[in-house]
Amino acid sequence: MRLVILGLPGSGKGTQSTRISKRFGIPQISTGDILRQAVKEGQDLGRKARRYMEQGQLVPDALMAELVILRLQAKDCQRGFILDGFPRTIAQAKTLDGLLKEKNIALDAVLRLQVSAESVIQRLSHRRLCSRCGADYNLLSNPPKEEGRCDRCGGSLRQREDDQAKTVARRLQVYQRQTKPLETYYRDRGILLVFEAERGVEEVSAEIIDTLKSLACAELVKDSTSSG
Ligand code: AMP
């Protein structure tokens, strides 16, 4: 299954992608995570991307295309993938189209998580990440057992630099301006699926997984009828 997940920062893309990845056995490709790791390790990519990320701006398309082309060539993507955080511009969507066309494959669905700007501002101001293993917490809805410490590895929890109020406002603007047009782009192709994501994680996840299971069954039926 080849999927893209879209939504405002803080809409739950990472959480839902992790669940989809486990349920369907496909890799979750989070371009944000890849970039943060590159920054942490002082890689060339990280040095180039850092200032854009800190300011809540998008990293240039050419750099992102290079990263994604390389990642999608990896063997674990042969059975499918879920792209979390890519594409974010029409130019990136076109790069992805070209890449998939070359391989004679297509996206099965683009999932869009629907949440209000007010909710994401609230969610992001309470989001904390483990500085060691990257585990994700929310101080209101999913707090750690011990304040400031990761339940999994004991690492210290910190706020992402770009989750601070000023940068969040910029990221929301960037979404409206540069990423929102992708909704129409994929709706026009008939592959956009919208999920109301103000609800709890479990409820949203159950609905997404049921929908994807039906989609996978429909694909199997289509394949078996077309192959005779
Ligand atoms: P995320 O974790 O998906 O919210 O991404 C964090 C930051 O990484 C974004 O605010 C951008 O600066 C950068 N980034 C991640 N994915 C992309 C992308 N597809 N295009 C451009 N910049 C990106």
Side-chain angles (χ1 to χ4, degrees):
M1 192 165 337
R2 287 174 288 271
L3 305 169
V4 161
I5 190 161
L6 292 178
L8 287 172
S11 57
K13 298 190 296 294
T15 305
Q16 296 299 341
S17 305
T18 307
R19 287 167 171 243
I20 294 167
S21 158
K22 285 196 186 127
R23 176 62 184 75
F24 294 97
I26 51 174
Q28 168 191 8
I29 302 175
S30 158
T31 46
D33 284 349
I34 296 173
L35 291 170
R36 277 186 289 280
Q37 189 65 23
V39 170
K40 198 167 159 187
E41 290 174 1
Q43 295 171 20
D44 191 36
L45 169 67
R47 274 197 300 277
K48 289 180 186 153
R50 185 176 192 149
R51 68 187 163 98
Y52 298 101
M53 296 171 76
E54 281 175 357
Q55 290 168 10
Q57 300 284 12
L58 294 186
V59 172
D61 288 335
L63 211 57
M64 294 311 299
E66 213 179 295
L67 180 164
V68 166
I69 289 171
L70 209 70
R71 181 63 187 89
L72 289 183
Q73 273 166 2
K75 208 161 169 220
D76 66 338
C77 294
Q78 276 174 4
R79 286 191 50 240
F81 50 79
I82 175 155
L83 278 168
D84 159 16
F86 186 96
R88 261 174 152 107
T89 63
I90 295 284
Q92 291 181 8
K94 290 190 171 157
T95 298
L96 181 62
D97 286 346
L99 195 67
L100 298 179
K101 200 166 169 202
E102 250 174 48
K103 296 177 190 279
N104 215 9
I105 52 180
L107 289 175
D108 294 295
V110 174
L111 320 178
R112 148 125 167 89
L113 302 182
Q114 174 87 48
V115 280
S116 68
E118 292 74 26
S119 303
V120 300
I121 290 169
Q122 166 86 347
R123 287 183 191 182
L124 293 177
S125 65
H126 293 96
R127 176 158 78 177
R128 297 291 180 274
L129 291 187
C130 172
S131 46
R132 199 182 295 158
C133 74
D136 212 319
Y137 294 86
N138 183 289
L139 299 183
L140 296 180
S141 58
N142 174 33
K145 292 195 180 83
E146 187 189 334
E147 199 185 321
R149 291 260 151 250
C150 177
D151 295 348
R152 245 198 253 164
C153 74
S156 61
L157 302 187
R158 58 171 181 79
Q159 186 173 35
R160 257 170 63 172
E161 207 158 314
D162 61 352
D163 278 350
Q164 285 165 24
K166 204 177 84 199
T167 319
V168 167
R170 170 74 54 75
R171 288 164 68 204
L172 295 182
Q173 267 175 8
V174 165
Y175 185 91
Q176 293 303 333
R177 214 175 296 143
Q178 295 179 266
T179 308
K180 202 164 172 55
L182 290 178
E183 294 172 20
T184 311
Y185 186 82
Y186 289 122
R187 186 177 297 114
D188 288 350
R189 295 173 170 211
I191 56 170
L192 187 76
L193 302 172
V194 180
F195 297 90
E196 204 283 295
E198 296 279 347
R199 300 166 293 165
V201 170
E202 296 296 336
E203 214 180 316
V204 178
S205 158
E207 191 187 341
I208 294 179
I209 288 179
D210 276 353
T211 308
L212 292 179
K213 278 200 297 203
S214 323
L215 199 75
C217 286
E219 283 300 314
L220 278 179
V221 172
K222 209 166 75 189
D223 283 355
S224 64
T225 46
S226 65
S227 61

